[in-house]
Structure formats: C-alpha cells, structure tokens
Amino acid sequence: MGTPFQAIYDSFLARISSDEWVLPDEMYIAQHDWFEFLKMAIFRFRFPRKSLEYDIDQMAFNEELDDAEIQMLAIYMKHEWVKRCVASWEEIKMLYSNKDFSQANHLDKLIKLSEQLELECVKSSATYYRSIKGRPYDYTKLAGKKHG
C-alpha cells in the first residue's frame, strides 16, 4: 500500500489553525472536506515525481510519496482552504455584532494571506522541481552529456 491520505491531512492540519473540524461526531464530514481539498491539490500539482493515482477504497495513494510530495500537497490544500475562507461570508457574518470589527479590514487580511500563500505555492513548487531529496537536480543530464 502507498501513502495514506491521512499523512497529507496531518501535514495540512499542522499548517492551519481552525476549529472547523474539531467535532469527532462529524469526522466523516471533515474527512470528506479534506478529500475535496486534496483533489484540488492533486489538480494543481503539475509535475510530481511520483504517481498521484489513488485508491479511494483504501484512502491511499497507490505509490509511497516522499515528504516533498506530501508537503507540496499540504501547501496547495492550505491555499485552497484560505481561498474558501476569503469567499465565505460565513467567516465575516459571525463577527457582525462586534462594533470594533471592520469587515473590509478582515476581508483585506484574508485576501493578503491568500496572496502570500500563492507565493508560497510558487516558491515551494520551484524548490520541488529543482531538487531531488534536497539535492539540486543535475541539469547536465538534459543537455545530452554522457555519464560514464
């Protein structure tokens, strides 16, 4: 068996601070939500070194993913989660009763956070694509140089 989805979920949850998924009675709903974020992350992961094919019944990838793939998926999941927070007026409506609350300021902060995460996605993917197991990729292999 390959990497279980829970390994990616754990990395994703370590990156966020949300009580959104705390209720153990509704764990099935939470896992369904995480799986939707995972599918978005898989879609965004352009050139993974490992296959991201999965077995939904096993709730696992077919291959064993390295930490680099797990972290990339978690970063993309976090960005998708923040984009949902920006789009969700539920986040803002809860705070309407507070007189000191500025809806525009709150939304602006969420948008800036989303932009920062987009940059993190770009930088992380650049790091992933340029290295293998933390070592720079040997681009001379692409130039037709023969290694003996």
Side-chain angles (χ1 to χ4, degrees):
M1 183 172 95
T3 303
F5 293 163
Q6 191 62 48
I8 290 84
Y9 298 161
D10 289 345
S11 183
F12 162 66
L13 293 170
R15 294 174 175 278
I16 67 171
S17 59
S18 174
D19 296 331
E20 189 173 344
W21 298 296
V22 172
L23 302 172
D25 296 342
E26 299 178 6
M27 189 52 70
Y28 173 78
I29 296 169
Q31 288 179 334
H32 177 74
D33 208 19
W34 301 338
F35 181 61
E36 292 303 315
F37 285 125
L38 180 58
K39 289 192 303 187
M40 291 179 219
I42 291 168
F43 175 76
R44 291 182 63 186
F45 201 162
R46 294 178 10 172
F47 304 111
R49 292 185 198 106
K50 305 276 180 93
S51 170
L52 297 181
E53 291 182 5
Y54 55 84
D55 181 340
I56 190 65
D57 295 327
Q58 296 292 319
M59 294 181 54
F61 289 94
N62 295 340
E63 287 191 40
E64 192 67 36
L65 303 182
D66 290 336
D67 191 51
E69 285 89 17
I70 291 170
Q71 295 307 316
M72 284 301 304
L73 289 168
I75 289 167
Y76 286 133
M77 286 176 71
K78 179 179 179 181
H79 187 230
E80 293 298 334
W81 174 74
V82 168
K83 287 184 347 186
R84 180 172 78 180
C85 290
V86 170
S88 172
W89 282 98
E90 294 302 317
E91 292 283 332
I92 297 169
K93 279 195 261 184
M94 292 185 321
L95 303 172
Y96 277 157
S97 61
N98 186 343
K99 293 178 185 176
D100 297 332
F101 175 68
S102 165
Q103 298 167 20
N105 185 37
H106 182 69
L107 185 59
D108 184 56
K109 287 181 181 179
L110 285 173
I111 290 170
K112 286 181 180 174
L113 177 60
S114 180
E115 290 169 352
Q116 289 171 347
L117 287 169
E118 179 66 29
L119 184 59
E120 180 183 4
C121 289
V122 169
K123 287 181 177 183
S124 297
S125 63
T127 300
Y128 175 82
Y129 297 131
R130 290 187 183 128
S131 66
I132 296 177
K133 295 186 180 179
R135 303 179 90 191
Y137 182 77
D138 182 6
Y139 286 99
T140 61
K141 293 178 183 178
L142 299 177
K145 183 178 178 181
K146 296 189 183 203
H147 297 278

